[in-house]
C-alpha cells in the first residue's frame, strides 16, 4: 500500500467562485430530499458550521464515510483507499455549481463558504493575493 499515490482535492490560498452558469444569485441552504441527507446538505453543514476547520479532503471524505456508514475503525484504511483515486473537488460540488456559494481555501487548505451576494465574496474576487478558480459548469458549452 505504501507505493500507492495519494491524491488530494485541497487548494491553498484559493477562492472557488460559483459556476459560470449558476442560476443562484445568493447562497442558499440546500433543501432536504426525503429522509437521507443529500451530499449538498452534508457538505453545507460541515463547512457552514465549522468555517476554516476542515480541508476539502476532510469534507469530501466525511461525507463519503457517512454515506457508506463507515465505523471509526474502518475510516483510516478507507480514507487511504478513497484518495488513492482522484476525487472530484469542491469545484464540482453542488454548493458551488447550484446553491450560490463560493469556497475560500486558506493558507492551510481549510475551507469556508461565502454566498455570492456577500461583501466577503466580492472581497475575495478583488483580492490579488489569492488564486481564483471557477466551479465546474453544470451544462456543457
Amino acid at each position: 500500500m505504501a507505493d500507492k499515490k495519494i491524491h488530494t482535492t485541497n487548494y491553498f490560498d484559493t477562492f472557488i467562485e460559483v459556476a459560470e452558469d449558476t442560476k443562484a444569485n445568493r447562497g442558499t441552504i440546500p433543501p432536504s430530499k426525503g429522509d437521507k441527507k443529500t451530499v449538498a446538505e452534508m457538505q453545507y453543514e460541515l463547512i457552514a458550521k465549522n468555517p476554516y476547520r476542515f480541508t476539502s479532503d476532510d469534507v469530501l471524505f466525511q461525507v463519503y464515510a457517512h454515506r457508506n456508514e463507515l465505523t471509526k475503525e474502518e475510516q483510516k484504511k478507507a480514507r487511504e483507499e478513497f484518495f488513492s483515486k482522484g476525487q472530484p473537488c469542491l469545484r464540482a460540488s453542488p454548493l458551488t455549481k447550484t446553491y450560490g456559494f463560493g469556497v475560500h481555501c486558506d493558507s492551510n487548505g481549510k475551507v469556508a463558504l461565502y454566498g455570492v451576494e456577500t461583501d466577503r465574496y466580492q472581497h475575495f474576487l478583488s483580492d490579488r493575493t489569492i488564486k481564483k478558480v471557477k466551479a465546474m459548469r453544470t451544462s456543457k458549452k
Side-chain angles (χ1 to χ4, degrees), residues 34-97:
D35 357 331
K36 274 194 149 178
K37 288 187 178 183
T38 64
V39 168
E41 277 183 284
M42 287 187 275
Q43 288 178 348
Y44 175 81
E45 286 178 4
L46 276 170
I47 303 170
K49 291 178 180 173
N50 303 284
Y52 300 113
R53 179 170 175 204
F54 300 117
T55 64
S56 171
D57 283 357
D58 295 336
V59 170
L60 297 174
F61 182 73
Q62 283 184 49
V63 168
Y64 170 82
H66 181 76
R67 293 190 74 185
N68 289 281
E69 299 176 355
L70 300 179
T71 65
K72 287 279 184 225
E73 295 76 39
E74 295 170 315
Q75 287 186 21
K76 184 178 184 335
K77 187 175 186 319
R79 187 173 172 123
E80 286 176 17
E81 192 61 34
F82 184 75
F83 287 111
S84 70
K85 302 185 277 302
Q87 297 294 331
C89 67
L90 289 175
R91 290 180 57 220
S93 167
L95 298 177
T96 57
K97 291 172 65 172

Side-chain angles (χ1 to χ4, degrees), residues 113-126:
L113 295 175
Y114 295 94
V116 70
E117 78 286 2
T118 64
D119 291 341
R120 242 4 229 153
Y121 185 98
Q122 294 308 314
H123 164 78
F124 288 121
L125 287 184
S126 62

